[in-house]
Amino acid sequence: MNNTININNLDKTYFIGDIKIPALRNINLSIESGEFVAIMGYSGSGKSTLMNIIGCLDKPDKGNYLLDGSDTTNMKKNEYAKIRNEKIGFVFQGFNLLPKANAVENVELPLLYNRSGITSENIRKKSVAALERVGLGDRLDHTPVQLSGGQQQRVAIARALVNSPAILLADEPTGNLDSKTTIDVFQLFQELNEQGLTIILVTHERDFARYSKRIVELRDGRIMKDKLVTDRRYAKSDLLLLDKNNEENDL
Amino acid sequence: MKFSRLLKVAFISIIRVKLRSLLTTLGIIIGTASVIIMVGVGQGAQSNIEKQIQSLGSNLIIIAPGSSKSGGVRGGHGSFNRFTMTDVENIQEQSINLGAISPVLARFFQVIGGGNNWNTQVFGVSEQYPLIREWKVETGNFFGEREIAGRAKVAVLGKETAEELFGNSNPVGEQIRIKNIPFKIIGVLEEKGQSMTGRSNDDLILIPISSMLYRLSGSRYISFIFASAKSVENIDQAQNEVIKIMRKSHNINPGQDDDFMVQNQTEITEAATETSQVMTLLLGAVAGVSLLVGGIGIMNIMYVSVTERTREIGIRLSVGAREQDILLQFLLEAMTLSIIGGVFGILFSILTIYLLNEFSNLTAVINPLIIIIAVLFSAFVGIFFGFYPAKKAAELDPIIALRHE
Ligand SMILES: Nc1ncnc2c1ncn2[C@@H]1O[C@H](COP(=O)(O)OP(=O)(O)OP(=O)(O)O)[C@@H](O)[C@H]1O
Ligand SMILES: [Mg+2]
């Protein structure tokens, strides 16, 4: 795996009527393959905007974004679609599940648009496996309204992972989860990261950001800090600790 | 996305909004059904007319007195305005393309027979008349050349006339009195049904032309000459030949108008079918408009659907759907809707046509070609009216579509 994200002098400005809203200003960021980056910042600091651009859902106004050395700014729509489908898994802040489709159907979606000629049985198998991985093996045919917020979020994570992407982008993937489930998810992320998956996620909580390897802080669309995590937490041992505490409480 | 998967996605989307899909297809159902029914009724009428004309007899040529050009100034050569037996004989002797020929002189008479009284049309004709009209004798015989030569007092009755006078008993061998002259019944014709003019072809009496002229009418004039060409192929030749013979015997100079009319069956048929074709076309066009309206209904629904499902489109785009995937998905939805509508329209129209034929006096035909055209047209309506909304959906920017509420 050799995916590198290279962002140079990137600007993104929104307009509401005549009012200029600079969402990102002069961003320079490069992320190597195998990194685990947490993006932090106040609400409105531009985290989602940056994630959307990295995820090839949106385009910058200025500057360029190189993915694996090729400039994405001038790519054709279909190349963009291919990157979204094969290279990147995206977990949205608001889940973005199909409301009328059940959990498996939602997870199947990226595979349905895959061009590799995968069979329908394999699509089903992979989707079920992805759901089992996030602990929803018993909720396959539930539609989003029949699932809790946390469960919906995990369906969204399963969907992002189902096509085995090289990069996982997650915009506040644990925002709706209790701390135990959050640590569960981070354990999964750490495990996947160990296997080589590049992860970029947005979180508001410094405690959770410590599960990553590097923290990038945004403020008013600018990168304020970019530091490696020195006091890294490991979800596996946290979970063990949690179990032990629970047992003691039960006694 | 694979085509079969897209089709599945389209199908699921349709199923999820059952009532709306049903209402959408209703426009197409009505449109397709009315096209098929209207054209069916039109063509039914057309084939009725053709059948009636066919009942005149095949290869029929009718020669009637009078000019075909009504406004023309007539020449000063004697009054040949009516035909006599000489005309018949002239044509019979000189023509090579005619198969059969018969003079026709018809008069209404009060006829007495079997203890009953009946007013009917009596035709003086030659022995070849049944050949020309393709009429068959059911019981007894038709008269021959001998009876013609001898001015025989014999008569052949139409089925209805026979029944009116003699009820169900066999009248052959019985006598009837026409203008107080006794005629012997030698045959009864097969039942033939309504003629084009609405008068029954079964209420009539045929007698030898000679008997008609000398015993009943007391004049030497005949009304028409009926003839038949030897084959359909040489009907024009036969017609031209008759015109030539008639012009010569009536001493009509080149440049002068005919003082007679020659019409063949093809011409009569053409005129009648043309009228009914225009009618069919008109009915079809009216029905086509309703199909068009149905198509606009589909476009309307597709628009609503695209707007409503903008988020869905955004989600699909965000996981890697390409523009053409979305385009095809919505196009397939529109097409599926209109084809389902088309199929139900066909079933509905077949049922209606069946009921029309069974329980009304309208005749409607089921034309497979029109059914194929209707299906293709409804698919086309789906593509045509589904394309623009689908294109609009496919060109959405993923992030904009995702933000849509
Ligand atoms: N579609 C848009 N039109 C106009 N302005 C926008 C749009 N999307 C975002 N913005 C503005 O851009 C800025 C950055 O927004 P963004 O969503 O990236 O923030 P964020 O860091 O993700 O916030 P949060 O933590 O609340 O999710 C904000 O000021 C926001 O109001
Ligand atoms: Mg955000």
Side-chain angles (χ1 to χ4, degrees), chain A residues 25-211:
Chain A
R25 295 190 251 203
N26 196 32
I27 300 286
N28 286 288
L29 182 67
S30 72
I31 295 169
E32 296 300 316
S33 168
E35 280 202 68
F36 190 159
V37 182
I39 296 175
M40 298 195 66
Y42 298 119
S43 181
S45 56
K47 306 181 295 293
S48 293
T49 308
L50 182 60
M51 292 293 271
N52 289 340
I53 289 172
I54 296 174
C56 290
L57 291 164
D58 210 352
K59 288 195 175 189
D61 297 328
K62 247 195 232 152
N64 57 24
Y65 164 31
L66 277 70
L67 184 61
D68 286 344
S70 48
D71 196 344
T72 60
T73 338
N74 300 317
M75 268 184 189
K76 291 210 180 82
K77 272 187 157 181
N78 278 356
E79 289 176 78
Y80 244 55
K82 196 173 150 79
I83 289 175
R84 288 198 292 266
N85 185 249
E86 291 174 358
K87 203 167 252 180
I88 294 169
F90 205 111
V91 183
F92 293 96
Q93 198 166 4
F95 322 141
N96 279 331
L97 300 175
L98 293 179
K100 282 173 184 144
N102 65 28
V104 206
E105 286 166 348
N106 264 294
V107 175
E108 279 178 343
L109 210 54
L111 294 174
L112 291 181
Y113 289 106
N114 194 263
R115 311 279 297 155
S116 64
I118 180 170
T119 63
S120 295
E121 298 95 80
N122 278 341
I123 288 180
R124 179 55 52 134
K125 247 190 247 164
K126 274 190 162 187
S127 308
V128 172
L131 278 168
E132 277 166 352
R133 203 156 188 191
V134 295
L136 287 177
D138 54 346
R139 294 282 189 280
L140 300 180
D141 50 5
H142 289 223
T143 59
V145 285
Q146 296 166 333
L147 294 168
S148 72
Q151 286 169 333
Q152 290 180 42
Q153 201 144 32
R154 282 184 279 158
V155 173
I157 292 169
R159 184 180 64 189
L161 293 174
V162 74
N163 210 4
S164 322
I167 304 168
L168 177 72
L169 300 173
D171 198 346
E172 296 195 48
T174 58
N176 288 279
L177 305 181
D178 59 59
S179 58
K180 160 80 168 65
T181 325
T182 301
I183 301 170
D184 273 338
V185 168
F186 273 107
Q187 197 224 322
L188 174 65
F189 284 177
Q190 282 187 331
E191 197 185 310
L192 291 166
N193 180 243
E194 237 121 79
Q195 290 162 12
L197 179 69
T198 310
I199 300 178
I200 305 167
L201 59 81
V202 171
T203 179
H204 274 109
E205 288 179 65
R206 192 155 295 274
D207 276 351
F208 295 144
R210 279 169 58 206
Y211 287 113

Side-chain angles (χ1 to χ4, degrees), chain B residues 55-361:
Chain B
S55 76
L56 283 172
S58 65
N59 318 334
L60 179 71
I61 294 172
I62 298 173
I63 309 150
S67 167
S68 56
K69 286 176 192 151
S70 50
V73 181
R74 311 297 304 268
H77 55 80
S79 163
F80 279 112
N81 237 351
R82 291 151 87 191
F83 299 158
T84 62
M85 283 306 286
T86 322
D87 291 302
V88 182
E89 279 151 23
N90 277 338
I91 296 169
Q92 192 152 27
E93 276 160 23
Q94 293 171 39
S95 87
I96 44 170
N97 288 312
L98 291 184
I101 184 164
S102 169
V104 176
L105 175 58
R107 287 271 190 282
F108 275 95
F109 287 112
Q110 203 69 25
V111 178
I112 301 162
N116 291 308
N117 216 314
W118 186 244
N119 190 281
T120 189
Q121 209 171 8
V122 180
F123 288 80
V125 295
S126 81
E127 80 288 349
Q128 294 175 21
Y129 192 68
L131 290 174
I132 300 168
R133 301 299 304 266
E134 292 180 342
W135 288 356
K136 286 185 182 64
V137 178
E138 192 178 73
T139 42
N141 295 299
F142 206 79
F143 44 82
E145 275 176 76
R146 235 173 43 148
E147 281 83 2
I148 305 258
R151 299 171 192 175
K153 292 183 275 183
V154 292
V156 174
L157 269 55
K159 186 89 180 167
E160 199 184 324
T161 317
E163 273 165 18
E164 287 295 340
L165 292 172
F166 295 94
N168 284 329
S169 61
N170 184 6
V172 174
E174 303 285 334
Q175 277 210 341
I176 48 167
R177 301 178 78 84
I178 308 172
K179 223 179 158 188
N180 251 336
I181 300 165
F183 281 79
K184 191 181 156 201
I185 301 170
I186 57 165
V188 177
L189 296 170
E190 263 181 11
E191 194 169 344
K192 295 169 294 285
Q194 209 86 21
S195 82
M196 237 205 317
T197 51
R199 198 189 299 138
S200 170
N201 258 335
D202 295 310
D203 182 15
L204 48 76
I205 296 174
L206 303 178
I207 60 169
I209 181 67
S210 49
S211 314
M212 183 71 172
L213 289 172
Y214 296 104
R215 297 184 193 281
L216 295 178
S217 84
S219 95
R220 57 193 194 94
Y221 297 116
I222 57 171
S223 315
F224 305 104
I225 301 170
F226 274 38
S228 64
K230 274 183 182 148
S231 72
V232 185
E233 289 76 50
N234 68 0
I235 194 149
D236 288 332
Q237 255 171 292
Q239 197 175 343
N240 288 334
E241 188 183 61
V242 168
I243 292 171
K244 227 166 82 190
I245 296 166
M246 290 291 283
R247 281 181 75 90
K248 200 176 146 218
S249 67
H250 285 198
N251 294 320
I252 300 170
N253 297 326
Q256 270 181 327
D257 286 341
D258 296 341
D259 62 353
F260 56 90
M261 275 190 299
V262 181
Q263 257 195 318
N264 70 41
Q265 198 194 300
T266 346
E267 286 168 351
I268 305 168
T269 316
E270 270 167 13
T273 38
E274 207 173 294
T275 324
S276 59
Q277 265 167 1
V278 169
M279 185 176 82
T280 307
L281 213 69
L282 217 68
L283 287 172
V286 169
V289 169
S290 70
L291 192 53
L292 205 70
V293 172
I296 293 170
I298 284 198
M299 176 142 97
N300 190 18
I301 290 299
M302 291 311 291
Y303 255 116
V304 173
S305 181
V306 164
T307 316
E308 254 185 21
R309 286 156 63 191
T310 305
R311 259 178 89 83
E312 175 194 326
I313 295 164
I315 292 167
R316 291 182 184 280
L317 288 171
S318 76
V319 298
R322 295 167 307 158
E323 214 172 303
Q324 56 261 51
D325 292 328
I326 302 291
L327 181 74
L328 212 60
Q329 179 192 332
F330 278 84
L331 217 50
L332 275 174
E333 269 182 45
M335 267 181 75
T336 311
L337 278 178
S338 58
I339 288 175
I340 289 174
V343 168
F344 277 100
I346 290 169
L347 295 179
F348 180 72
S349 64
I350 288 175
L351 184 74
T352 310
I353 285 175
Y354 170 78
L355 292 175
L356 275 180
N357 287 335
E358 219 39 32
F359 299 109
S360 83
N361 48 17

